Structure formats: structure tokens, C-alpha cells
Amino acid sequence: MALGNHSTITEFLLLGLPADHHTQALVFVLFLVIYLLTLSGNLLMILVIKASSHLHTPMYFFLNHLSFLDLCYSSVTVPKMLENLLSEKKTISVENCLTQAFFVLASGGTELCLLAVMAYDRYAAICYPLLYGQMMSNELCVGLVWGSWGLAFLDAFINTLLAWNLDFCETRVISNFICEIPSLFPLSCSNSSVNFAVLFCSALLHAFGTFLLVFFSYTRIVATILSISSASGRGKAFSTCSSHLTTVSLFYGSGFLRYLMPTSGSPWELFFSMQYSVVTPLVNPLVYSLKNKEVKTALKNILQKSLQHLR
């Protein structure tokens, strides 16, 4: 199939958010605050990890990349949503819509892979503490991160390339605040069965493949923790995983339901999209900072040094 879109429609309408002007103003302020908190929270997490030498471990190396990814993820979706809330025309060109859909899928796919890699890191740390340094070498950590980005971008490229060849005519309303590949299928007047099949198969392989790695890792982690005789030891081991488990639950749950459920324009689609593309990037730095003693200690030290310099 030749590359290029032969659509008669040049732009879509993003109508997933309230149409009332008063409500739009309140929603704009809400999501502007969320976006600024997301940027500051993730930038602070990156700064703390970079500035604290005792956080230069595989776990925080992956967390550093997760924070950077959340910055990207939020910046792909929220600015356009804020623009539409202030605009009378809630439009986005077909080209920009497909570009946004590509980066949404690529960012989400990378996060799936990173969360699976972080689960494996916890498995290695808890189940094989004496071999942890060998199992999670610097070369392996860098390779796992680049592999996560590469696999996700390849997956997004294939699905977006197929979507680029769809014809869009007549219907142009997207009942969402962002462009996603599944939202484009009902708008196409050409046969999208191949697109749906490829997206479904890639979602199964990508999402369930990483989920199986997470499930296997935590099955072994739980078995190891339960074998620890002391209650304090079990609590300490579990505390190192609780933040990651919270993030996995939030992201995997909403992502699975959004990409595997049929596109029908229901409010649940908007809710799930909002959950993993807006809420999760905001919550991640809070979860990892509030539940992690090492991060809280590092942040406290940085603040104390900053106050000393001011004096």
C-alpha cells in the first residue's frame, strides 16, 4: 500500500471534554495545575536521582528514565488539550492527529517495557541479592532501557503507518481529548480490519508479554518474601516493591482496558485515556517519593544543603 493519506477530511474535532464555557474554564485551570505539578514532580525526581550518589543504582537508573518518560507522555497530550479548552474550534489536523497518536502509543509502550524491566530488577534484588550486581550490570541496564524505547517506537511506527493509509470521510468527531489509534477506526470509510488486527496482536504481544514478565517476577518475589523468617525483614523487602506495584496497577489496568475494549465513544474510554496519559505521570513521582525512604532522605539532604547555601 502506498504511503500517504487520501482522505477528504483534513481535520478532526476533539469533543471529549465539556462544551460549557464555565466548565471549560474550571477544567482548564485543573489540568494546567496537574500539568505543572507533573512537570515539577518528575523534574524534581530526576534532579534528586542525579544529585544523590547513593541513588546511582539500577533501580533509580530505571526510575530516572521513567520520570523522563512521564514528562514526555504528559507533554504529548496535555498541551493540546489545554489549547482546545481555550479555543472555540476543537480541531486537530489529520497529520497532527496521527503524529500525536504515534507518540501516545510509543510513550505508553515504552512505559510498559520499563515497568516490566523494573519488576525484573526487583526480582533480581530480592531473590538473588548476592548476585544482584552481576545480574544488573551497567551494560544490561542501558541495553534494557534502549530496548524498551526501540521496541515501543517500532510498534508505534507500524501501527501509525497503517493508520496513515486509512481514508477518512464524513464523520470527523473524536469523542476524546487526544488522538489514539483505536479512536480513528470508527472514523475511517475504508476497511480498517487489518489495522485493528495488527493493533490487537501488537497489544497482546507487547502488553501481555511485559505483563507476564511482571507477573513472573512478583510471583517469585512474593515466594521469597514469605520465606523470610522475621516480620521486619518481610516488611522491608515488600516496601521496596510497593511503589512499583502501585504504578503497575494504575498504568496496566487502564491501558489494557483502553486498547483492548471496542471503541464505542463511551465515557469509560475517556476515563481510561485520562488515567494513563494524565493521572499516572502525575502520581508516579508522588508514589516513589512518599513511599521511598531513600528518595525522601535524598530530597531532605538537598533541601538542607540549599538552605545552608542561602544562609
Side-chain angles (χ1 to χ4, degrees):
M1 187 178 290
L3 177 62
N5 190 285
H6 312 291
S7 308
T8 57
I9 286 177
T10 60
E11 58 185 17
F12 297 122
L13 293 172
L14 294 171
L15 301 181
L17 295 174
D20 177 69
H21 289 290
H22 179 67
T23 306
Q24 282 185 354
L26 294 176
V27 173
F28 174 83
V29 173
L30 173 63
F31 283 102
L32 178 60
V33 171
I34 288 176
Y35 183 53
L36 293 176
L37 289 174
T38 301
L39 293 182
S40 57
N42 284 289
L43 283 172
L44 182 61
M45 184 65 70
I46 292 171
L47 174 64
V48 168
I49 293 172
K50 291 289 186 183
S52 306
S53 58
H54 70 282
L55 297 183
H56 293 174
T57 63
M59 174 182 171
Y60 293 103
F61 174 76
F62 297 132
L63 181 56
N64 183 53
H65 281 271
L66 182 66
S67 295
F68 174 73
L69 178 61
D70 282 336
L71 281 175
C72 298
Y73 208 167
S74 184
S75 297
V76 167
T77 58
V78 179
K80 180 60 181 176
M81 177 176 63
L82 295 175
E83 177 191 332
N84 282 344
L85 285 168
L86 294 178
S87 174
E88 290 292 331
K89 293 179 64 180
K90 320 295 184 185
T91 59
I92 184 171
S93 69
V94 172
E95 291 78 12
N96 287 342
C97 182
L98 287 166
T99 301
Q100 186 183 56
F102 168 80
F103 283 107
V104 167
L105 188 57
S107 300
T110 305
E111 187 143 346
L112 285 174
C113 291
L114 272 180
L115 290 175
V117 167
M118 293 171 76
Y120 176 74
D121 171 71
R122 293 299 82 208
Y123 158 74
I126 293 174
C127 298
Y128 300 98
L130 299 180
L131 299 175
Y132 179 65
Q134 297 177 11
M135 293 177 66
M136 302 302 297
S137 64
N138 290 335
E139 294 79 9
L140 178 62
C141 292
V142 172
L144 289 172
V145 167
W146 280 111
S148 298
W149 284 95
L151 180 61
F153 270 72
L154 176 62
D155 180 35
F157 177 76
I158 293 172
N159 281 283
T160 307
L161 185 64
L162 289 172
W164 205 279
N165 288 278
L166 292 174
D167 291 322
F168 302 103
C169 4
E170 298 179 3
T171 305
R172 64 190 189 110
V173 174
I174 297 176
S175 299
N176 207 328
F177 65 98
I178 57 174
C179 287
E180 295 178 291
I181 297 294
S183 300
L184 300 178
F185 297 158
L187 307 182
S188 174
C189 52
S190 55
N191 188 353
S192 60
S193 58
V194 173
N195 301 69
F196 178 79
V198 172
L199 180 65
F200 186 78
C201 290
S202 64
L204 284 177
L205 292 173
H206 200 149
F208 279 105
T210 55
F211 178 76
L212 286 175
L213 179 57
V214 172
F215 181 78
F216 168 79
S217 297
Y218 273 101
T219 300
R220 296 295 304 274
I221 287 171
V222 170
T224 301
I225 290 176
L226 292 177
S227 67
I228 299 174
S229 57
S230 67
S232 60
R234 288 195 299 269
K236 183 178 179 180
F238 182 75
S239 67
T240 65
C241 304
S242 59
S243 301
H244 182 258
L245 273 174
T246 303
T247 302
V248 167
S249 301
L250 286 172
F251 191 78
Y252 268 79
S254 56
F256 276 179
L257 291 170
R258 175 66 186 98
Y259 274 84
L260 295 180
M261 69 185 296
T263 302
S264 59
S266 72
W268 285 108
E269 294 174 20
L270 180 65
F271 173 79
F272 292 137
S273 297
M274 193 79 69
Q275 171 69 53
Y276 66 73
S277 65
V278 178
V279 177
T280 300
L282 168 68
V283 172
N284 279 351
L286 295 175
V287 168
Y288 278 99
S289 60
L290 295 176
K291 285 193 170 188
N292 193 300
K293 290 182 180 179
E294 290 180 319
V295 173
K296 286 191 288 187
T297 301
L299 182 57
K300 183 179 178 181
N301 291 337
I302 290 174
L303 290 175
Q304 288 176 345
K305 288 180 182 178
S306 299
L307 290 174
Q308 289 174 359
H309 284 304
L310 290 174
R311 293 172 185 173

